[in-house]
PDB file of all heavy atoms in Angstrom:
ATOM      1  N   ALA A 127     -47.862 129.509  69.941  1.00 91.00           N
ATOM      2  CA  ALA A 127     -48.186 128.127  69.589  1.00 91.00           C
ATOM      3  C   ALA A 127     -49.677 128.008  69.340  1.00 91.00           C
ATOM      4  O   ALA A 127     -50.472 128.755  69.927  1.00 91.00           O
ATOM      5  CB  ALA A 127     -47.742 127.196  70.721  1.00 91.00           C
ATOM      6  N   GLU A 128     -50.072 127.051  68.500  1.00 88.00           N
ATOM      7  CA  GLU A 128     -51.444 126.879  68.107  1.00 88.00           C
ATOM      8  C   GLU A 128     -52.339 126.333  69.222  1.00 88.00           C
ATOM      9  O   GLU A 128     -53.539 126.559  69.252  1.00 88.00           O
ATOM     10  CB  GLU A 128     -51.539 125.979  66.893  1.00 88.00           C
ATOM     11  CG  GLU A 128     -50.962 126.580  65.647  1.00 88.00           C
ATOM     12  CD  GLU A 128     -51.102 125.669  64.438  1.00 88.00           C
ATOM     13  OE1 GLU A 128     -51.791 124.604  64.533  1.00 88.00           O
ATOM     14  OE2 GLU A 128     -50.525 125.998  63.405  1.00 88.00           O
ATOM     15  N   SER A 129     -51.726 125.561  70.154  1.00 88.00           N
ATOM     16  CA  SER A 129     -52.513 124.947  71.191  1.00 88.00           C
ATOM     17  C   SER A 129     -51.601 124.665  72.390  1.00 88.00           C
ATOM     18  O   SER A 129     -50.376 124.794  72.306  1.00 88.00           O
ATOM     19  CB  SER A 129     -53.112 123.622  70.693  1.00 88.00           C
ATOM     20  OG  SER A 129     -52.060 122.699  70.433  1.00 88.00           O
ATOM     21  N   ALA A 130     -52.241 124.235  73.507  1.00 90.00           N
ATOM     22  CA  ALA A 130     -51.441 123.876  74.686  1.00 90.00           C
ATOM     23  C   ALA A 130     -50.529 122.695  74.355  1.00 90.00           C
ATOM     24  O   ALA A 130     -49.374 122.628  74.808  1.00 90.00           O
ATOM     25  CB  ALA A 130     -52.372 123.543  75.842  1.00 90.00           C
ATOM     26  N   ASN A 131     -51.040 121.725  73.589  1.00 93.00           N
ATOM     27  CA  ASN A 131     -50.224 120.571  73.219  1.00 93.00           C
ATOM     28  C   ASN A 131     -49.032 120.986  72.328  1.00 93.00           C
ATOM     29  O   ASN A 131     -47.915 120.494  72.529  1.00 93.00           O
ATOM     30  CB  ASN A 131     -51.055 119.518  72.467  1.00 93.00           C
ATOM     31  CG  ASN A 131     -51.945 118.749  73.429  1.00 93.00           C
ATOM     32  OD1 ASN A 131     -51.636 118.641  74.637  1.00 93.00           O
ATOM     33  ND2 ASN A 131     -53.027 118.248  72.913  1.00 93.00           N
ATOM     34  N   ALA A 132     -49.277 121.899  71.404  1.00 92.00           N
ATOM     35  CA  ALA A 132     -48.190 122.377  70.539  1.00 92.00           C
ATOM     36  C   ALA A 132     -47.161 123.127  71.392  1.00 92.00           C
ATOM     37  O   ALA A 132     -45.951 122.995  71.162  1.00 92.00           O
ATOM     38  CB  ALA A 132     -48.724 123.258  69.418  1.00 92.00           C
ATOM     39  N   LEU A 133     -47.634 123.919  72.354  1.00 94.00           N
ATOM     40  CA  LEU A 133     -46.725 124.639  73.248  1.00 94.00           C
ATOM     41  C   LEU A 133     -45.891 123.670  74.043  1.00 94.00           C
ATOM     42  O   LEU A 133     -44.651 123.821  74.195  1.00 94.00           O
ATOM     43  CB  LEU A 133     -47.493 125.581  74.161  1.00 94.00           C
ATOM     44  CG  LEU A 133     -46.690 126.345  75.213  1.00 94.00           C
ATOM     45  CD1 LEU A 133     -45.645 127.245  74.540  1.00 94.00           C
ATOM     46  CD2 LEU A 133     -47.596 127.140  76.117  1.00 94.00           C
ATOM     47  N   ASP A 134     -46.521 122.640  74.562  1.00 95.00           N
ATOM     48  CA  ASP A 134     -45.823 121.625  75.361  1.00 95.00           C
ATOM     49  C   ASP A 134     -44.721 120.959  74.542  1.00 95.00           C
ATOM     50  O   ASP A 134     -43.584 120.781  75.000  1.00 95.00           O
ATOM     51  CB  ASP A 134     -46.832 120.570  75.862  1.00 95.00           C
ATOM     52  CG  ASP A 134     -46.206 119.580  76.830  1.00 95.00           C
ATOM     53  OD1 ASP A 134     -45.421 120.019  77.711  1.00 95.00           O
ATOM     54  OD2 ASP A 134     -46.506 118.397  76.693  1.00 95.00           O
ATOM     55  N   ARG A 135     -45.040 120.569  73.277  1.00 95.00           N
ATOM     56  CA  ARG A 135     -44.027 119.974  72.403  1.00 95.00           C
ATOM     57  C   ARG A 135     -42.863 120.900  72.133  1.00 95.00           C
ATOM     58  O   ARG A 135     -41.690 120.540  72.155  1.00 95.00           O
ATOM     59  CB  ARG A 135     -44.668 119.495  71.085  1.00 95.00           C
ATOM     60  CG  ARG A 135     -45.493 118.232  71.204  1.00 95.00           C
ATOM     61  CD  ARG A 135     -45.889 117.680  69.844  1.00 95.00           C
ATOM     62  NE  ARG A 135     -46.712 118.636  69.056  1.00 95.00           N
ATOM     63  CZ  ARG A 135     -48.018 118.751  69.166  1.00 95.00           C
ATOM     64  NH1 ARG A 135     -48.720 118.020  70.021  1.00 95.00           N
ATOM     65  NH2 ARG A 135     -48.685 119.617  68.418  1.00 95.00           N
ATOM     66  N   LEU A 136     -43.207 122.174  71.884  1.00 96.00           N
ATOM     67  CA  LEU A 136     -42.166 123.167  71.612  1.00 96.00           C
ATOM     68  C   LEU A 136     -41.259 123.376  72.825  1.00 96.00           C
ATOM     69  O   LEU A 136     -40.054 123.449  72.702  1.00 96.00           O
ATOM     70  CB  LEU A 136     -42.763 124.501  71.184  1.00 96.00           C
ATOM     71  CG  LEU A 136     -41.797 125.626  70.887  1.00 96.00           C
ATOM     72  CD1 LEU A 136     -40.912 125.281  69.742  1.00 96.00           C
ATOM     73  CD2 LEU A 136     -42.572 126.900  70.610  1.00 96.00           C
ATOM     74  N   LEU A 137     -41.870 123.432  73.998  1.00 96.00           N
ATOM     75  CA  LEU A 137     -41.098 123.608  75.223  1.00 96.00           C
ATOM     76  C   LEU A 137     -40.177 122.416  75.484  1.00 96.00           C
ATOM     77  O   LEU A 137     -39.024 122.563  75.933  1.00 96.00           O
ATOM     78  CB  LEU A 137     -42.001 123.847  76.444  1.00 96.00           C
ATOM     79  CG  LEU A 137     -42.756 125.173  76.417  1.00 96.00           C
ATOM     80  CD1 LEU A 137     -43.748 125.244  77.553  1.00 96.00           C
ATOM     81  CD2 LEU A 137     -41.822 126.372  76.405  1.00 96.00           C
ATOM     82  N   ASP A 138     -40.666 121.190  75.155  1.00 96.00           N
ATOM     83  CA  ASP A 138     -39.791 120.041  75.260  1.00 96.00           C
ATOM     84  C   ASP A 138     -38.612 120.128  74.305  1.00 96.00           C
ATOM     85  O   ASP A 138     -37.468 119.850  74.659  1.00 96.00           O
ATOM     86  CB  ASP A 138     -40.577 118.751  74.924  1.00 96.00           C
ATOM     87  CG  ASP A 138     -41.502 118.315  76.052  1.00 96.00           C
ATOM     88  OD1 ASP A 138     -41.335 118.817  77.207  1.00 96.00           O
ATOM     89  OD2 ASP A 138     -42.384 117.464  75.791  1.00 96.00           O
ATOM     90  N   GLU A 139     -38.883 120.568  73.074  1.00 96.00           N
ATOM     91  CA  GLU A 139     -37.820 120.715  72.074  1.00 96.00           C
ATOM     92  C   GLU A 139     -36.805 121.756  72.507  1.00 96.00           C
ATOM     93  O   GLU A 139     -35.584 121.558  72.379  1.00 96.00           O
ATOM     94  CB  GLU A 139     -38.455 121.093  70.724  1.00 96.00           C
ATOM     95  CG  GLU A 139     -37.447 121.083  69.587  1.00 96.00           C
ATOM     96  CD  GLU A 139     -38.119 121.375  68.234  1.00 96.00           C
ATOM     97  OE1 GLU A 139     -39.367 121.422  68.149  1.00 96.00           O
ATOM     98  OE2 GLU A 139     -37.358 121.580  67.256  1.00 96.00           O
ATOM     99  N   ILE A 140     -37.267 122.869  73.055  1.00 97.00           N
ATOM    100  CA  ILE A 140     -36.347 123.904  73.521  1.00 97.00           C
ATOM    101  C   ILE A 140     -35.513 123.372  74.704  1.00 97.00           C
ATOM    102  O   ILE A 140     -34.307 123.504  74.713  1.00 97.00           O
ATOM    103  CB  ILE A 140     -37.126 125.165  73.956  1.00 97.00           C
ATOM    104  CG1 ILE A 140     -37.739 125.842  72.747  1.00 97.00           C
ATOM    105  CG2 ILE A 140     -36.218 126.146  74.703  1.00 97.00           C
ATOM    106  CD1 ILE A 140     -38.723 126.954  73.086  1.00 97.00           C
TER     107      ILE A 140
END
Side-chain angles (χ1 to χ4, degrees):
E128 292 181 9
S129 66
N131 286 334
L133 176 61
D134 187 43
R135 284 190 300 275
L136 179 63
L137 293 174
D138 285 345
E139 187 176 351
I140 292 170

